[in-house]
């Protein structure tokens, strides 16, 4: 979820069914979040929109940068590999 000031918050299941399985929420770990928690990795950048898939998420910032995180299977994160990303990259 995004807020009016451009911050991003996430909550829910933090991993994809296995140890080290994803970091789906963008907090740098695989922990479940039972309450909304701010994703600090954006470092004060203004996020305009977020889209969440089953195992990955993407965001676009005011400067036009596209960020992605979560499970990297089949290259869905757009980083040129299949690595999972625990924080927005």
């Amino acid at each position: 979820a995004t807020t009016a000031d451009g911050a991003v918050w996430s909550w829910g299941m933090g991993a994809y069914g296995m140890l080290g399985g994803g970091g789906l929420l963008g907090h740098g770990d695989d922990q479940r979040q039972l309450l909304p928690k701010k994703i600090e990795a954006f470092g004060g950048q203004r996020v305009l929109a977020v889209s969440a898939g089953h195992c990955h998420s993407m965001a676009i910032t005011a400067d036009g940068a596209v960020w992605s995180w979560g499970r990297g299977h089949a290259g869905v994160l757009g980083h040129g590999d299949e690595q999972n990303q625990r924080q927005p990259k």
Side-chain angles (χ1 to χ4, degrees), residues 47-58:
V47 175
L48 302 178
V50 173
S51 179
H54 178 70
C55 296
H56 69 285
S57 298
M58 303 187 101

Side-chain angles (χ1 to χ4, degrees), residues 3 7-9 15 21 29 43 48 51 58 61 63 66 77 83 89:
T3 58
V8 179
W9 295 70
D29 57 33
L48 302 178
S51 179
M58 303 187 101
T61 53
D63 64 359
V66 176
L77 299 179
Q83 297 296 310
K89 175 180 174 183

Side-chain angles (χ1 to χ4, degrees):
T2 57
T3 58
D5 64 354
V8 179
W9 295 70
S10 67
W11 60 95
M13 186 174 75
Y16 185 72
M18 62 192 123
L19 183 63
L24 304 178
L25 300 177
H27 300 293
D29 57 33
D30 293 336
Q31 300 297 310
R32 290 179 186 223
Q33 295 295 324
L34 301 180
L35 296 170
K37 180 178 177 181
K38 185 177 179 181
I39 298 177
E40 300 292 345
F42 290 106
Q45 293 191 59
R46 183 170 167 73
V47 175
L48 302 178
V50 173
S51 179
H54 178 70
C55 296
H56 69 285
S57 298
M58 303 187 101
I60 188 165
T61 53
D63 64 359
V66 176
W67 298 70
S68 61
W69 64 97
R71 187 168 184 240
H73 177 73
V76 298
L77 299 179
H79 300 158
D81 57 34
E82 294 189 64
Q83 297 296 310
N84 297 336
Q85 292 294 324
R86 287 182 169 81
Q87 293 182 310
K89 175 180 174 183

